[in-house]
Each structure stands twice: as C-alpha cells, then as structure tokens.
Amino acid sequence: MQIDLKSLTYTELENFLKDNFNFPKYKANQVYKWLYRGVTTFDEMTDISKKDRENLKEKAYINILEIQRKLVSKIDGTTKYLFKLSDGEYVESVVMRYKHGNSICISTQVGCKMRCDFCASALNGFIRNLTSSEIIDQIIFAQKDLGEKISNVVLMGMGEPLDNMENVLKFLENIHHPEGLCISHRHISLSTCGLVDKIDMLSDMDMQLTLSVSLHAPNDEIRNKIMPISLKYPYEDLMKSCKNYFNKTKRRISLEYILIDDLNDSKECAKMLSDRLRGFSCHVNLIPANSVKEKPHQKSPMQKVMEFQAELKRNNINATVRRTLGSDINASCGQLRNKEKQN
Ligand code: SAH
C-alpha cells in the first residue's frame, strides 16, 4: 500500500524516507518543504534526483484537493472553496481577509453526526472523517491558490472536530512545524458542539488552542431542543469542562451563541446565560442565525440581538456580535456542498 506522505509527522516522514530509501535528514527536509508548499507531483521536487523521485512514486503518494468551485465575495473579498476529495466527496473552506492577515475556516468531516437542528452540515448525514492530510490540505491549497500566507485557522467548518480526534491531533502536530505551515497553536481555534470527554482530553494536552464551544442556549431545556448532543452531555458537565480547560491552559474560552428568533433570544435567556457565566473568564460570540433553506429557524431581528448583547454586558459578560462576511456567497459552511450534491 502506498503511503500518504502528508499524513506523516515530520519525524515519521524522516523515518519512512530513511527506512525505505536511505534518505539522509536533509533530503527528508527538502521533501517535507515541497509537500507543504503544495506540490501535486513528485516531479515538481526539483532538488530531488530523478531516481529518488521514481522510487518515491512506487511507495508513496501526495494527497491533492482539487478546487471544484471558488466564490469570491464582491463585498469583502471573502473566498469560499469547494474542494473535491480523491474519492469524489466535497468539503468547503472559507478564507476571510482581515487587516491583520488571512484566516481560514476549515472542515474536519464530510457531513456530520451531531444533527444540530439549525445547521446545514448534517443535512445529508455523515459520510466520513477527513484524514489529517485532507484537513491540512485545505490550508495548503487555499494558500497556493491565493498566493498568500494564511496566518489563522478556525476548525469551524463542516463536521465536529472532536469526533475525529485522532486525525485532528495529527493535523495539529503538523500545522505548527517550522518547515511546513508554521502556524502556532495560539492562532488556531477549535470549535466543538461540546463533547465533554474530548474537551477534557484536550485540557490535559495543554496545547494553547483557543477553544470555541457552540453553546446556543442558556439551559438544558432549550439546548436539548436544538442540539441532540446536549442529551448526552448536560449543561453543568459542559460548563465544568470549559472551566477546567481554562484553568489548565489559561486560554479564555469563546462561547458561540446563535440567536434564533423566539427560541433562545429573549431577555430572560440573556439573564439566565449571564447567571450561568458569572465569574467565568470567557467571551460570548453572538451570531444572528443564518437561515438554511431546509430548516424552519429564522434569524433574530437585529434589535433583539443588540438587546441580548446589552443584557450580557450589563452583567459584565464579554460579548460581541459576529460580523457577517461573505453574505453574497453563502459563506456559511455546508451550503455549497449541498448545492453541488443536488446538481
Ligand atoms: N461542530 C463544531 C464545528 C462546526 S459548526 C461546532 O458545533 O462548533 C461551526 C459553527 O457554525 C458553530 O458555532 C455552529 O453552531 C455554527 N452554525 C451552524 N449552523 C449555523 C447557522 N444556520 N447560522 C449560524 N451559525 C451556524
């Protein structure tokens, strides 16, 4: 079986190349650099001899993502990619342009098992986990296409990253290597719907990631209605786990809260949320829900969003309203893939 080279860590690659072809370390370093620059064939590795390249082709391969579609927002330059994977499945990634640099939102699974009621990602169910190379390749091939460096990464696209823990951890090991993408864990946010046992595992690893938790409700009653995962991991346990993450890593947690009209956006909800978060060092990110064609939920009116934020602030809870980017290209994840599948 051929080896997917980008699924190996730097040290594993060194060992593989040494054991199979007796490559010295400097040559493994050259191969590693080419891979993370986004070459698609071994023949592009011009400082590797032809004979070595032929040997490589026999035992290894380079994973590739093809750009199936690319949409660029006329409003703010947000760029959305629909990537085609080697088995014909699709994933989406979105590059956001900020003054401080480029940030990319990437996917970790094809589809999703979590079945959150408001989300487009799981509409066609769960297909499969992405490999660590398919996760990192979204950054490599977006960077290559843009001709620009990406400095921040959010694992907030399709899928639940903590439901694909093994490959996500491998991805995290590769992403900060100085000879590769060289993106520090401090510039990465991982978003989860709240898999408590996996959050605890992350806390123990103390990796300096920013943890985003999709909360979306002030209590179990409302959360249970829209997020089935809440039936498995109740609110109390989730908050305990979040506090543990902060205590161990000293990284402030970001809590995501989608505002859905007449479901979780009342003043009482804001008060309840404030009570639950009192004394906890966190940041609440309020997101007016994007409407998904197949779902009944409506976006809260801006007036209610502002009132919700004001109530949190009155209670000394840090809260911002997420700026909408790429509104003209349906930049929220899941939507483009669904469209492609229907065609
Ligand atoms: N499974 C992870 C990451 C994927 S979802 C998680 O749940 O966090 C990424 C973010 O997009 C989450 O905060 C999710 O709740 C949000 N999201 C999903 N559907 C949305 C919609 N219709 N409108 C606004 N945000 C949405």
Side-chain angles (χ1 to χ4, degrees), residues 105 108 112 114 116 118-121 155-161 190-194 212-216 227 256-258 287-292 322 332-333 335:
C105 174
T108 52
C112 185
M114 301 298 135
C116 297
F118 43 80
C119 182
S121 291
L155 282 83
M156 224 186 235
M158 197 192 311
E160 167 52 48
L190 184 150
S191 183
T192 175
C193 63
S212 282
V213 175
S214 296
L215 203 56
H216 307 328
M227 301 180 74
E256 312 293 311
Y257 195 109
I258 298 182
I287 313 160
N290 281 310
S291 45
V292 174
R322 188 187 286 172
S332 348
C333 272
Q335 305 182 358

Side-chain angles (χ1 to χ4, degrees), residues 65 77-83 90-98 101-109 119 121 130 134-143 146 149-161 171 175 183 187-192 212 214 256 285 287 290 322-323 325-326 329-336:
L65 299 187
T78 298
T79 305
K80 180 161 187 164
Y81 293 98
L82 181 71
F83 286 117
Y90 298 105
V91 284
E92 297 175 29
S93 326
V94 182
V95 178
M96 291 149 289
R97 316 300 203 106
Y98 295 108
N102 293 320
S103 182
I104 190 167
C105 174
I106 57 174
S107 301
T108 52
Q109 296 178 318
C119 182
S121 291
L130 295 187
E134 287 169 332
I135 301 173
I136 212 158
D137 271 340
Q138 296 169 65
I139 310 171
I140 295 175
F141 287 102
Q143 248 181 204
L146 292 170
K149 176 103 181 93
I150 288 170
S151 49
N152 285 273
V153 178
V154 294
L155 282 83
M156 224 186 235
M158 197 192 311
E160 167 52 48
F171 155 80
I175 192 165
I183 301 176
H187 291 168
I188 301 174
S189 293
L190 184 150
S191 183
T192 175
S212 282
S214 296
E256 312 293 311
N285 206 358
I287 313 160
N290 281 310
R322 188 187 286 172
R323 198 155 57 101
L325 289 174
I329 56 165
N330 262 346
S332 348
C333 272
Q335 305 182 358
L336 199 58

Side-chain angles (χ1 to χ4, degrees), residues 64-65 83-91 110 128 130 134:
I64 298 167
L65 299 187
F83 286 117
K84 189 174 185 179
L85 309 176
S86 52
D87 62 354
E89 290 293 344
Y90 298 105
V91 284
V110 184
R128 68 171 175 88
L130 295 187
E134 287 169 332

